Amino acid sequence: MKKAMLAALAALFALTAPSAAEEAAMPADQPKWSIAIHGGAGTLDPDRMTPERRAAYEAALQEALDAGAKVLASGGSAMEAVKAAIIPMENSPLFNAGKGAVFTWEGRNELDASIMDGRDRSAGAVTGVTTIKNPILLADAVRTESEHVFLMGEGAEQFAATQGIETAPPEYFATEARREALERMKAEALSALDVDTKFGTVGAVALDMEGNLAAGTSTGGMTGKRWGRIGDAPVIGAGTYADNRSCAVSATGWGEYFIRVGVAQEICTRLRISSVEGKPDRGWSVHYPGVENWTTDDYAEFDAQMTADAVMAEVKQLGGDGGVILVTPEGHALFSFNTTGMYRGRADSSGMREVAIFGGDVEAGASNTPDH
């Protein structure tokens, strides 16, 4: 990570960190919750985004964010909030998950999803399903109703039938825009990256009032994928990971690189290892005046942001791009992406509610690191 980015983050935290008096006034035992969502990261050009299209995406993100936040605000679990947030995005043709998924080379919509509970690290995943309306629900059924973690294709759909999971015909998932992308790819001998201006994978991460974390991810993969290609979204540890000891992560991007880095678990593992009682001594006060006044919570947020940025830098160094969302046990909802944009949003029990799209829409505690 570049020193300039670290300095900017340090300055940000110096400005936004609560004073000692403010922190003392906050009820120590006040239950809190937090959620972050994404709808894909990629090459997004503000000049090509019409006001109408931007409004449509922002409304879709807000709907998903509100659905998850409602669950958490009413005392619901992180697992239920993750599913509640992902389902509206799977139902929206704007994203590459469920309805509106991209086409394979053969002209099919093949869907993947995964979900993980940070309490016990139970997980469920499915890949290559073609008739499941909401793959995130099937992934969760694998987690709770089978002895397995990962099911594929026909077998996964047979299992879905035993669980009463809602199905839909192939035409439900298909959209003309996605079909045109496949046709253009074939006609012009393009790569998936040439026809997909963004990775439309969707995901959510959450912390509930009981202090439990959860993560989920759902996708249609990459346009024109062949030979049963599987990306990171359904792979536990690459596209999805949750552990109450460290964080919950959902990823979106060029899956092959996220698998090679093991992005989701790598972030959580680094945070678990770096977790210590009190303020970690990393020599930060030498570089950032005022850092010595940060609270332990401030350090935790800064540490989480730097960790996510560092792992995304590794993805970039290998040649991949995309982004992640994460929530920490302290309730920090963060983003890190090395692309020009990422459809994203976050909310928490303090009243924060925000959605954003482009890299310039940098919120407090969110990092866009395209220069890595």
Side-chain angles (χ1 to χ4, degrees), residues 10 28 82 97 125 134 166 197-198 206 241 254 279 287 305 313 332 334 360:
V82 163
N134 295 112
E166 186 176 1
T197 57
K198 69 180 183 66
Y241 202 77
W254 197 341
K279 300 177 182 179
H287 304 287
Q305 186 68 65
H332 304 302
L334 307 172

Side-chain angles (χ1 to χ4, degrees), residues 26-110:
M26 297 177 185
D29 58 349
Q30 180 67 38
K32 56 185 176 182
W33 56 264
S34 184
I35 185 170
I37 65 169
H38 71 75
T43 306
L44 305 176
D45 184 353
D47 295 333
R48 299 181 63 181
M49 175 74 74
T50 66
E52 294 78 14
R53 189 165 180 79
R54 178 165 187 156
Y57 271 106
E58 289 176 344
L61 290 169
Q62 194 66 59
E63 179 186 1
L65 188 64
D66 289 346
K70 181 178 180 180
V71 171
L72 296 170
S74 63
S77 71
M79 289 294 293
E80 291 303 317
V82 163
K83 290 184 288 185
I86 289 176
I87 287 172
M89 292 188 285
E90 288 182 329
N91 293 343
S92 170
L94 294 176
F95 304 105
N96 174 23
K99 186 178 182 69
V102 300
F103 284 91
T104 67
W105 187 262
E106 294 78 18
R108 291 161 32 108
N109 304 112
E110 294 182 354

